[in-house]
Each structure stands twice: as structure tokens, then as C-alpha cells.
């Protein structure tokens, strides 16, 4: 689950979402240094996303159920 309580398909998707948030915040700052810092943070999140395997973060595991001897 992400911080806002929604399910995340993969760690890479979460990192891409965070990169997008950084870029959105960068657009709200007038200070050039703040925008540059947030843009750099977005780039780092995207690099992290590229390094992640494509497996979902949450995988449901199948459990083997014992057979009932009465059947």
C-alpha cells in the first residue's frame, strides 16, 4: 500500500508516481534552485523505477491445503 492507502501495482509504478509528484511540485515554486532540486529528485525516482524488476510488490501466495481423509 502506498502512503495514501491505495494499492500499488509495482515498486517501479510507485517510484514513477513520486517522480510525477516532484515535477508537479517543481512547477509551483518560483525559486530556480527549488525547481532544480525537485527536478533532480524526479530524475532519481525515475532511475530507481528503471532498476526495479517488473514483479508486483504484493504477490498473493497460494497455500497448499491438506486433503481431508474423510473424502
Amino acid at each position: 500500500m502506498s502512503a495514501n492507502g491505495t494499492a500499488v501495482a509495482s515498486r517501479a509504478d510507485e517510484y514513477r508516481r513520486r517522480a510525477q509528484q516532484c515535477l508537479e511540485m517543481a512547477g509551483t515554486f518560483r525559486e530556480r534552485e527549488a525547481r532544480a532540486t525537485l527536478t533532480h529528485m524526479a530524475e532519481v525516482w525515475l532511475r530507481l523505477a528503471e532498476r526495479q524488476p517488473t514483479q508486483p510488490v504484493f504477490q498473493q501466495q497460494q497455500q497448499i491445503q491438506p486433503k481431508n481423509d474423510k473424502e
Side-chain angles (χ1 to χ4, degrees):
M1 295 278 234
S2 68
N4 65 6
T6 59
V8 176
S10 72
R11 197 173 304 270
D13 289 340
E14 175 68 12
Y15 293 165
R16 286 186 198 97
R17 186 184 65 77
R18 290 177 187 222
Q20 182 63 38
Q21 288 176 330
C22 287
L23 293 174
E24 289 171 3
M25 283 190 294
T28 67
F29 283 86
R30 290 184 184 202
E31 298 85 7
R32 184 177 191 181
E33 187 175 329
R35 289 194 314 267
T37 299
L38 285 162
T39 300
H40 176 72
M41 289 174 64
E43 291 170 356
V44 172
W45 281 119
L46 290 173
R47 272 187 259 143
L48 286 170
E50 291 172 3
R51 294 181 182 178
Q52 294 302 308
T54 57
Q55 299 175 18
V57 174
F58 303 112
Q59 295 181 351
Q60 185 175 5
Q61 295 181 348
Q62 184 175 3
Q63 295 181 352
I64 299 172
Q65 300 295 321
K67 290 189 176 187
N68 188 346
D69 290 338
K70 296 179 182 177
E71 289 182 11

